[in-house]
Amino acid sequence: NRPEWILGDYVSIMYRLVCVPLVVTMDDETLAFVLNQSEITCVLLSPENVDKYVRVAPLCPHLRSLVVM
């Protein structure tokens, strides 16, 4: 864990948002399924995971923002 994740979680609580933990080892199909089922609009992610989320983003109509921390 990194301090950025705790800050992100705290901000989501302040705005009454729901945090959905995502496992970085998910394949693209599973990741897209989870993002779509939970209707996630914003993802906080590490720089090393940007490529994966950029690949999956077109499959997720609710996803509007990728925030790299």
Side-chain angles (χ1 to χ4, degrees):
N1 284 332
R2 297 181 357 202
E4 294 90 345
W5 302 130
I6 296 168
L7 180 60
D9 192 41
Y10 181 68
V11 169
S12 69
I13 291 167
M14 287 177 46
Y15 285 95
R16 297 177 188 227
L17 303 172
V18 176
C19 264
V20 177
L22 300 168
V23 181
V24 296
T25 56
M26 286 185 203
D27 59 49
D28 290 0
E29 184 179 332
T30 304
L31 180 59
F33 176 79
V34 172
L35 291 172
N36 287 325
Q37 288 297 306
S38 54
E39 297 182 359
I40 289 177
T41 58
C42 180
V43 175
L44 305 178
L45 61 138
S46 300
E48 58 270 10
N49 294 317
V50 170
D51 291 341
K52 178 179 222 159
Y53 283 87
V54 168
R55 268 195 323 269
V56 171
L59 306 173
C60 305
H62 299 284
L63 185 59
R64 290 183 278 166
S65 303
L66 297 175
V67 180
V68 182
M69 302 193 328

Coordinates of all heavy atoms in Angstrom, one line a residue:
N1 N 0.8 -1.2 0.0 CA 0.0 0.0 0.0 C 0.9 1.2 0.0 O 2.0 1.2 0.5 CB -0.9 0.0 1.2 CG -2.1 -0.9 1.1 OD1 -2.5 -1.2 -0.1 ND2 -2.6 -1.4 2.2
R2 N 0.3 2.3 -0.6 CA 1.0 3.6 -0.6 C 0.1 4.6 0.0 O -1.1 4.5 0.0 CB 1.3 3.9 -2.1 CG 2.2 2.9 -2.7 CD 2.6 3.2 -4.1 NE 2.0 4.4 -4.8 CZ 1.9 4.5 -6.1 NH1 2.3 3.6 -6.9 NH2 1.3 5.6 -6.6
P3 N 0.7 5.7 0.4 CA -0.2 6.8 1.0 C -1.2 7.4 0.0 O -2.3 7.8 0.5 CB 0.8 7.9 1.4 CG 2.2 7.2 1.5 CD 2.1 6.0 0.5
E4 N -0.9 7.3 -1.3 CA -1.9 7.8 -2.3 C -3.2 7.0 -2.2 O -4.2 7.6 -2.4 CB -1.3 7.7 -3.7 CG -0.1 8.7 -3.9 CD 1.3 8.0 -3.5 OE1 1.3 6.9 -2.9 OE2 2.3 8.6 -3.9
W5 N -3.1 5.7 -2.0 CA -4.3 4.9 -2.0 C -5.2 5.3 -0.8 O -6.4 5.3 -0.9 CB -4.0 3.4 -1.9 CG -3.1 3.0 -3.1 CD1 -2.0 2.3 -3.1 CD2 -3.4 3.3 -4.5 NE1 -1.5 2.1 -4.3 CE2 -2.3 2.7 -5.2 CE3 -4.4 4.0 -5.2 CZ2 -2.2 2.8 -6.6 CZ3 -4.3 4.1 -6.6 CH2 -3.2 3.5 -7.3
I6 N -4.5 5.5 0.4 CA -5.3 5.9 1.6 C -6.0 7.3 1.3 O -7.1 7.5 1.7 CB -4.4 5.9 2.8 CG1 -3.9 4.5 3.1 CG2 -5.1 6.5 4.0 CD1 -2.7 4.5 4.1
L7 N -5.3 8.2 0.7 CA -5.8 9.5 0.4 C -7.0 9.4 -0.6 O -8.1 10.0 -0.4 CB -4.8 10.4 -0.2 CG -5.2 11.8 -0.6 CD1 -5.7 12.6 0.6 CD2 -4.1 12.6 -1.2
G8 N -6.8 8.5 -1.6 CA -7.9 8.3 -2.5 C -9.1 7.7 -1.9 O -10.3 8.1 -2.2
D9 N -8.9 6.8 -1.0 CA -10.0 6.1 -0.2 C -10.7 7.2 0.6 O -12.0 7.2 0.7 CB -9.5 5.0 0.6 CG -10.6 4.1 1.1 OD1 -11.6 3.9 0.4 OD2 -10.5 3.7 2.3
Y10 N -9.9 8.0 1.3 CA -10.5 9.0 2.2 C -11.4 10.0 1.4 O -12.5 10.4 1.8 CB -9.4 9.7 2.9 CG -9.9 10.8 3.9 CD1 -10.6 10.4 5.0 CD2 -9.6 12.1 3.6 CE1 -11.0 11.4 5.9 CE2 -10.1 13.1 4.5 CZ -10.8 12.7 5.6 OH -11.2 13.7 6.5
V11 N -10.9 10.4 0.2 CA -11.6 11.4 -0.6 C -12.9 10.7 -1.1 O -14.0 11.4 -1.1 CB -10.8 11.8 -1.8 CG1 -11.6 12.6 -2.8 CG2 -9.6 12.7 -1.3
S12 N -12.9 9.5 -1.4 CA -14.1 8.8 -1.9 C -15.1 8.8 -0.7 O -16.3 8.9 -1.0 CB -13.8 7.4 -2.4 OG -13.4 6.5 -1.4
I13 N -14.7 8.5 0.5 CA -15.6 8.5 1.6 C -16.2 9.9 1.8 O -17.4 10.0 2.1 CB -14.8 8.0 2.9 CG1 -14.5 6.5 2.8 CG2 -15.7 8.3 4.2 CD1 -13.5 6.0 3.8
M14 N -15.3 10.9 1.7 CA -15.8 12.3 1.9 C -16.9 12.7 0.9 O -17.9 13.4 1.2 CB -14.7 13.3 1.8 CG -13.7 13.3 2.9 SD -12.4 14.5 2.7 CE -13.1 15.9 2.1
Y15 N -16.8 12.1 -0.3 CA -17.8 12.4 -1.3 C -18.9 11.4 -1.4 O -19.7 11.3 -2.4 CB -17.1 12.6 -2.7 CG -16.5 14.0 -2.8 CD1 -15.1 14.1 -2.5 CD2 -17.2 15.1 -3.2 CE1 -14.5 15.3 -2.6 CE2 -16.5 16.3 -3.3 CZ -15.2 16.4 -3.0 OH -14.6 17.7 -3.0
R16 N -18.9 10.5 -0.5 CA -19.9 9.4 -0.4 C -19.9 8.5 -1.7 O -20.9 8.1 -2.2 CB -21.3 9.9 -0.2 CG -21.4 10.6 1.2 CD -22.7 11.2 1.4 NE -22.7 11.9 2.7 CZ -23.6 11.8 3.6 NH1 -24.6 11.0 3.5 NH2 -23.5 12.6 4.7
L17 N -18.7 8.2 -2.2 CA -18.5 7.4 -3.3 C -18.1 6.0 -2.8 O -17.7 5.8 -1.7 CB -17.3 7.9 -4.2 CG -17.5 9.3 -4.7 CD1 -16.3 9.8 -5.4 CD2 -18.7 9.4 -5.6
V18 N -18.3 5.0 -3.6 CA -18.0 3.6 -3.3 C -16.7 3.2 -3.9 O -16.4 3.4 -5.1 CB -19.1 2.7 -3.8 CG1 -18.8 1.2 -3.5 CG2 -20.5 3.0 -3.2
C19 N -15.8 2.7 -3.0 CA -14.5 2.2 -3.5 C -14.7 0.7 -3.9 O -15.2 -0.1 -3.1 CB -13.5 2.3 -2.4 SG -12.5 3.7 -2.5
V20 N -14.2 0.3 -5.1 CA -14.3 -1.0 -5.5 C -12.8 -1.5 -5.8 O -12.2 -1.0 -6.7 CB -15.1 -1.2 -6.8 CG1 -15.1 -2.6 -7.3 CG2 -16.5 -0.7 -6.6
P21 N -12.3 -2.3 -4.9 CA -10.9 -2.7 -5.1 C -10.8 -3.6 -6.4 O -11.6 -4.5 -6.6 CB -10.6 -3.6 -3.9 CG -11.7 -3.5 -3.0 CD -12.9 -2.9 -3.7
L22 N -9.8 -3.4 -7.2 CA -9.6 -4.2 -8.4 C -8.2 -4.8 -8.3 O -7.2 -4.2 -7.9 CB -9.6 -3.2 -9.6 CG -10.9 -2.5 -9.8 CD1 -10.7 -1.4 -10.9 CD2 -12.0 -3.5 -10.2
V23 N -8.1 -6.1 -8.7 CA -6.9 -6.9 -8.6 C -6.1 -6.7 -9.9 O -6.7 -6.8 -11.0 CB -7.2 -8.4 -8.4 CG1 -6.0 -9.2 -8.3 CG2 -8.1 -8.6 -7.2
V24 N -4.9 -6.3 -9.8 CA -4.1 -6.0 -11.0 C -3.8 -7.2 -11.8 O -3.4 -7.1 -13.0 CB -2.7 -5.3 -10.6 CG1 -3.0 -4.0 -10.0 CG2 -1.9 -6.2 -9.7
T25 N -4.0 -8.4 -11.3 CA -3.7 -9.6 -12.1 C -4.9 -10.1 -12.9 O -4.8 -11.1 -13.6 CB -3.3 -10.8 -11.1 OG1 -4.3 -11.0 -10.2 CG2 -2.0 -10.5 -10.5
M26 N -6.0 -9.3 -12.9 CA -7.2 -9.7 -13.7 C -6.8 -9.5 -15.2 O -6.1 -8.6 -15.6 CB -8.4 -8.7 -13.5 CG -9.1 -8.9 -12.2 SD -10.5 -7.7 -12.2 CE -10.8 -7.6 -10.4
D27 N -7.4 -10.5 -16.0 CA -7.2 -10.3 -17.4 C -8.1 -9.2 -17.9 O -9.0 -8.8 -17.2 CB -7.4 -11.6 -18.2 CG -8.8 -12.2 -18.0 OD1 -9.8 -11.4 -18.1 OD2 -8.9 -13.4 -17.7
D28 N -7.9 -8.8 -19.2 CA -8.7 -7.6 -19.7 C -10.2 -7.9 -19.7 O -11.0 -7.0 -19.3 CB -8.2 -7.3 -21.1 CG -6.8 -6.7 -21.1 OD1 -6.2 -6.5 -20.1 OD2 -6.4 -6.4 -22.3
E29 N -10.6 -9.1 -20.0 CA -12.0 -9.4 -20.1 C -12.7 -9.4 -18.7 O -13.7 -8.8 -18.6 CB -12.2 -10.8 -20.7 CG -13.6 -11.3 -20.9 CD -13.7 -12.6 -21.5 OE1 -12.8 -13.1 -22.2 OE2 -14.8 -13.3 -21.2
T30 N -12.0 -9.9 -17.7 CA -12.5 -9.9 -16.3 C -12.5 -8.5 -15.8 O -13.5 -8.1 -15.2 CB -11.6 -10.8 -15.4 OG1 -11.6 -12.1 -16.0 CG2 -12.2 -10.8 -14.0
L31 N -11.5 -7.7 -16.1 CA -11.5 -6.3 -15.6 C -12.6 -5.5 -16.3 O -13.3 -4.8 -15.6 CB -10.1 -5.7 -16.0 CG -9.9 -4.2 -15.6 CD1 -10.1 -4.0 -14.1 CD2 -8.6 -3.7 -16.1
A32 N -12.8 -5.7 -17.6 CA -13.9 -5.0 -18.2 C -15.3 -5.4 -17.6 O -16.2 -4.6 -17.4 CB -13.9 -5.3 -19.7
F33 N -15.4 -6.7 -17.3 CA -16.7 -7.2 -16.7 C -16.9 -6.5 -15.3 O -18.0 -6.0 -15.1 CB -16.6 -8.7 -16.5 CG -17.8 -9.3 -15.8 CD1 -19.0 -9.5 -16.5 CD2 -17.8 -9.6 -14.5 CE1 -20.1 -10.0 -15.8 CE2 -18.9 -10.1 -13.8 CZ -20.0 -10.3 -14.5
V34 N -15.9 -6.4 -14.5 CA -16.0 -5.8 -13.2 C -16.3 -4.3 -13.3 O -17.2 -3.8 -12.6 CB -14.8 -6.1 -12.3 CG1 -14.8 -5.3 -11.0 CG2 -14.6 -7.6 -12.0
L35 N -15.6 -3.7 -14.2 CA -15.8 -2.2 -14.4 C -17.3 -2.0 -14.8 O -17.9 -1.0 -14.4 CB -14.9 -1.7 -15.4 CG -13.4 -1.6 -14.9 CD1 -12.5 -1.2 -16.1 CD2 -13.2 -0.6 -13.8
N36 N -17.8 -2.8 -15.7 CA -19.1 -2.6 -16.3 C -20.2 -3.0 -15.2 O -21.2 -2.3 -15.1 CB -19.3 -3.4 -17.5 CG -18.6 -2.8 -18.7 OD1 -18.5 -1.6 -18.8 ND2 -18.0 -3.6 -19.6
Q37 N -20.0 -4.1 -14.5 CA -21.0 -4.5 -13.5 C -21.1 -3.5 -12.4 O -22.2 -3.3 -11.9 CB -20.7 -5.9 -13.0 CG -20.9 -7.0 -13.9 CD -22.3 -7.1 -14.3 OE1 -23.2 -7.2 -13.5 NE2 -22.6 -7.1 -15.6
S38 N -20.0 -2.9 -12.0 CA -20.1 -1.9 -10.9 C -20.3 -0.5 -11.4 O -20.4 0.4 -10.6 CB -18.8 -2.0 -10.1 OG -17.7 -1.9 -10.9
E39 N -20.4 -0.3 -12.7 CA -20.6 1.0 -13.4 C -19.6 2.0 -12.9 O -19.9 3.2 -12.6 CB -22.0 1.5 -13.1 CG -23.1 0.6 -13.8 CD -24.5 1.1 -13.7 OE1 -24.7 2.1 -13.0 OE2 -25.4 0.4 -14.2
I40 N -18.4 1.6 -12.8 CA -17.3 2.5 -12.3 C -17.1 3.7 -13.3 O -17.0 3.4 -14.5 CB -16.0 1.7 -12.1 CG1 -16.1 0.8 -10.9 CG2 -14.8 2.6 -12.0 CD1 -14.9 -0.1 -10.7
T41 N -17.0 4.9 -12.8 CA -16.8 6.1 -13.6 C -15.3 6.6 -13.5 O -14.9 7.3 -14.4 CB -17.7 7.2 -13.3 OG1 -17.6 7.5 -11.9 CG2 -19.2 6.8 -13.5
C42 N -14.6 6.3 -12.5 CA -13.3 6.8 -12.3 C -12.4 5.7 -11.6 O -12.9 5.0 -10.7 CB -13.3 8.0 -11.3 SG -11.7 8.7 -11.0
V43 N -11.2 5.6 -12.1 CA -10.3 4.6 -11.6 C -9.0 5.3 -11.2 O -8.4 6.1 -11.9 CB -9.9 3.5 -12.6 CG1 -8.9 2.5 -12.1 CG2 -11.1 2.7 -13.0
L44 N -8.5 5.0 -9.9 CA -7.2 5.5 -9.5 C -6.3 4.4 -9.7 O -6.5 3.2 -9.3 CB -7.3 5.8 -8.0 CG -8.3 6.8 -7.5 CD1 -8.2 7.0 -6.0 CD2 -8.1 8.2 -8.2
L45 N -5.1 4.6 -10.4 CA -4.2 3.5 -10.8 C -2.8 4.0 -10.7 O -2.5 5.2 -10.8 CB -4.6 3.0 -12.1 CG -4.5 3.9 -13.3 CD1 -3.9 3.2 -14.5 CD2 -5.9 4.4 -13.7
S46 N -1.9 3.0 -10.7 CA -0.5 3.2 -10.7 C 0.0 3.4 -12.1 O -0.6 2.8 -13.0 CB 0.3 2.0 -10.1 OG -0.1 1.8 -8.8
P47 N 1.1 4.1 -12.3 CA 1.6 4.3 -13.7 C 1.9 3.0 -14.5 O 1.6 2.9 -15.7 CB 2.9 5.1 -13.5 CG 2.8 5.7 -12.2 CD 1.9 4.8 -11.3
E48 N 2.3 1.9 -13.8 CA 2.5 0.7 -14.4 C 1.3 0.0 -15.0 O 1.4 -1.0 -15.7 CB 3.4 -0.3 -13.5 CG 2.7 -0.6 -12.2 CD 3.1 0.3 -11.1 OE1 3.7 1.4 -11.3 OE2 2.7 0.0 -9.9
N49 N 0.1 0.4 -14.6 CA -1.1 -0.2 -15.0 C -1.9 0.6 -16.0 O -3.0 0.2 -16.5 CB -2.1 -0.5 -13.8 CG -1.5 -1.5 -12.9 OD1 -1.0 -2.5 -13.3 ND2 -1.5 -1.2 -11.6
V50 N -1.3 1.7 -16.5 CA -2.0 2.6 -17.4 C -2.4 1.9 -18.7 O -3.5 2.0 -19.2 CB -1.2 3.9 -17.7 CG1 -1.8 4.7 -18.9 CG2 -1.1 4.7 -16.5
D51 N -1.4 1.1 -19.3 CA -1.7 0.5 -20.6 C -2.9 -0.5 -20.5 O -3.7 -0.5 -21.4 CB -0.4 -0.3 -21.0 CG 0.7 0.6 -21.4 OD1 0.5 1.8 -21.7 OD2 1.9 0.1 -21.4
K52 N -3.0 -1.2 -19.4 CA -4.1 -2.2 -19.3 C -5.4 -1.4 -19.3 O -6.4 -1.8 -20.0 CB -3.9 -3.0 -18.0 CG -5.0 -3.9 -17.8 CD -4.8 -4.7 -16.5 CE -5.1 -6.2 -16.8 NZ -4.6 -7.1 -15.9
Y53 N -5.5 -0.4 -18.5 CA -6.8 0.4 -18.4 C -7.1 1.1 -19.7 O -8.3 1.3 -20.0 CB -6.8 1.3 -17.2 CG -7.0 0.5 -15.9 CD1 -5.9 -0.1 -15.2 CD2 -8.3 0.3 -15.4 CE1 -6.1 -0.8 -14.1 CE2 -8.5 -0.4 -14.3 CZ -7.4 -1.0 -13.6 OH -7.6 -1.7 -12.5
V54 N -6.1 1.6 -20.4 CA -6.4 2.3 -21.7 C -6.9 1.3 -22.7 O -7.8 1.6 -23.5 CB -5.1 3.0 -22.2 CG1 -5.2 3.4 -23.6 CG2 -4.7 4.1 -21.3
R55 N -6.4 0.0 -22.6 CA -6.9 -1.0 -23.5 C -8.4 -1.4 -23.2 O -9.2 -1.6 -24.1 CB -6.1 -2.3 -23.4 CG -4.9 -2.5 -24.2 CD -4.4 -3.9 -24.2 NE -4.4 -4.6 -23.0 CZ -3.4 -4.6 -22.1 NH1 -2.3 -3.9 -22.3 NH2 -3.5 -5.3 -21.0
V56 N -8.7 -1.4 -22.0 CA -10.0 -1.8 -21.5 C -11.1 -0.7 -21.6 O -12.3 -1.0 -21.8 CB -9.9 -2.4 -20.1 CG1 -11.3 -2.7 -19.5 CG2 -9.1 -3.7 -20.1
A57 N -10.6 0.5 -21.5 CA -11.5 1.7 -21.4 C -12.6 1.7 -22.5 O -13.8 2.0 -22.2 CB -10.7 3.0 -21.4
P58 N -12.3 1.4 -23.8 CA -13.3 1.5 -24.8 C -14.4 0.5 -24.6 O -15.5 0.6 -25.2 CB -12.6 1.2 -26.1 CG -11.1 1.5 -25.8 CD -11.0 1.2 -24.4
L59 N -14.2 -0.5 -23.8 CA -15.2 -1.6 -23.5 C -16.1 -1.2 -22.4 O -17.1 -1.9 -22.0 CB -14.6 -2.9 -23.2 CG -13.6 -3.4 -24.3 CD1 -12.9 -4.7 -23.8 CD2 -14.3 -3.7 -25.6
C60 N -15.8 -0.1 -21.7 CA -16.5 0.3 -20.5 C -17.2 1.7 -20.7 O -16.6 2.7 -20.5 CB -15.5 0.4 -19.3 SG -14.6 -1.2 -19.1
P61 N -18.5 1.7 -21.0 CA -19.2 3.0 -21.3 C -19.3 3.9 -20.2 O -19.4 5.1 -20.4 CB -20.5 2.5 -21.8 CG -20.7 1.1 -21.3 CD -19.4 0.5 -21.2
H62 N -19.3 3.4 -18.9 CA -19.4 4.3 -17.8 C -18.1 5.0 -17.4 O -18.1 6.0 -16.7 CB -20.0 3.5 -16.6 CG -21.3 2.9 -16.8 ND1 -22.5 3.7 -16.8 CD2 -21.7 1.7 -17.1 CE1 -23.5 2.9 -17.1 NE2 -23.1 1.7 -17.3
L63 N -17.0 4.4 -17.7 CA -15.7 4.9 -17.3 C -15.4 6.2 -18.0 O -15.4 6.3 -19.2 CB -14.6 3.8 -17.7 CG -13.2 4.1 -17.2 CD1 -13.2 4.3 -15.7 CD2 -12.3 3.0 -17.7
R64 N -15.2 7.2 -17.2 CA -14.9 8.6 -17.7 C -13.5 9.1 -17.4 O -13.0 9.9 -18.1 CB -15.9 9.5 -17.2 CG -17.3 9.3 -17.7 CD -18.3 10.4 -17.2 NE -18.7 9.9 -15.9 CZ -19.4 10.6 -15.0 NH1 -19.6 11.9 -15.3 NH2 -19.8 10.1 -13.9
S65 N -12.9 8.6 -16.3 CA -11.6 9.1 -15.9 C -10.7 8.0 -15.4 O -11.1 7.1 -14.7 CB -11.8 10.1 -14.7 OG -12.7 11.1 -15.0
L66 N -9.4 8.2 -15.8 CA -8.3 7.4 -15.2 C -7.4 8.4 -14.5 O -6.9 9.3 -15.2 CB -7.6 6.7 -16.3 CG -8.4 5.6 -17.1 CD1 -7.5 5.1 -18.3 CD2 -8.9 4.5 -16.3
V67 N -7.2 8.2 -13.2 CA -6.3 9.1 -12.5 C -5.1 8.3 -12.1 O -5.1 7.3 -11.4 CB -7.1 9.6 -11.2 CG1 -6.1 10.5 -10.4 CG2 -8.4 10.3 -11.5
V68 N -4.0 8.7 -12.6 CA -2.7 8.0 -12.4 C -2.0 8.7 -11.2 O -1.8 9.9 -11.1 CB -1.8 8.1 -13.6 CG1 -0.5 7.4 -13.4 CG2 -2.5 7.6 -14.8
M69 N -1.7 7.8 -10.2 CA -1.1 8.3 -8.9 C 0.3 7.6 -8.7 O 0.4 6.5 -9.0 CB -2.0 8.1 -7.7 CG -3.3 8.7 -7.9 SD -4.3 8.8 -6.4 CE -3.9 7.4 -5.4

